[in-house]
Amino acid sequence: EVQLMESGGGLVQAGGSLRLSCVASGFTWGDYAIAWFRQAPGKEREGVACVSNYDGSTYYADTMKGRFTISSDNAKNTVFLQMTNLKREDTAVYYCAAEVLDLYRLIAGCGLRQGLFGMDYWGKGTPVTVST
């Protein structure tokens, strides 16, 4: 059974930092990419960043570049999202998701697609609240 378990969310003051973790199990690590998404209250879910477990390549949504860093610990099947200089608008539930690395993804790198041709598995999310 595939499981993705997020942790590390919580309440933080604006300007602070948090590191989220996503521990994955139930699939062959190197065959997948892991991505972070977030959904703010009243808004659609949006992609943050992803990392390919095959070659470690990463991709960030344009609006997420600079303050967010994705990384992974292959030995522990864990992906991290380091968030710095947090702002009130970063308040959201953060989800990790896994996508199988098919031939297209092996060549193009990981992505942040959602919907029918997007992620294969999702975690339940961890809430992040940024106070001012």
Side-chain angles (χ1 to χ4, degrees):
E1 178 187 5
V2 174
Q3 288 189 331
L4 298 169
M5 186 170 295
E6 305 94 336
S7 63
L11 177 64
V12 61
Q13 286 189 333
S17 300
L18 275 179
R19 188 176 80 158
L20 307 182
S21 300
C22 172
V23 179
S25 61
F27 58 79
T28 302
W29 181 253
D31 291 345
Y32 282 79
I34 303 295
W36 284 98
F37 292 81
R38 71 182 188 182
Q39 187 166 20
K43 295 187 177 181
E44 293 188 351
R45 188 168 57 194
E46 60 179 342
V48 177
C50 62
V51 58
S52 167
N53 295 340
Y54 175 71
D55 60 8
S57 59
T58 60
Y59 171 79
Y60 293 84
D62 287 341
T63 56
M64 307 298 173
K65 293 178 182 177
R67 298 186 297 115
F68 294 83
T69 303
I70 192 169
S71 62
S72 56
D73 184 338
N74 293 335
K76 296 182 178 180
N77 284 13
T78 302
V79 171
F80 305 99
L81 183 68
Q82 180 69 48
M83 307 184 293
T84 61
N85 190 22
L86 284 162
K87 303 176 181 181
R88 188 172 183 176
E89 52 264 38
D90 296 317
T91 294
V93 178
Y94 285 72
Y95 300 89
C96 70
E99 181 184 24
V100 67
L101 292 168
D102 55 18
L103 182 59
Y104 171 78
R105 279 291 174 221
L106 286 173
I107 296 172
C110 66
L112 297 172
R113 286 184 304 188
Q114 301 186 62
L116 183 62
F117 300 105
M119 301 295 121
D120 297 289
Y121 303 102
W122 291 86
K124 294 182 179 181
T126 185
V128 172
T129 302
V130 182
S131 64
T132 56

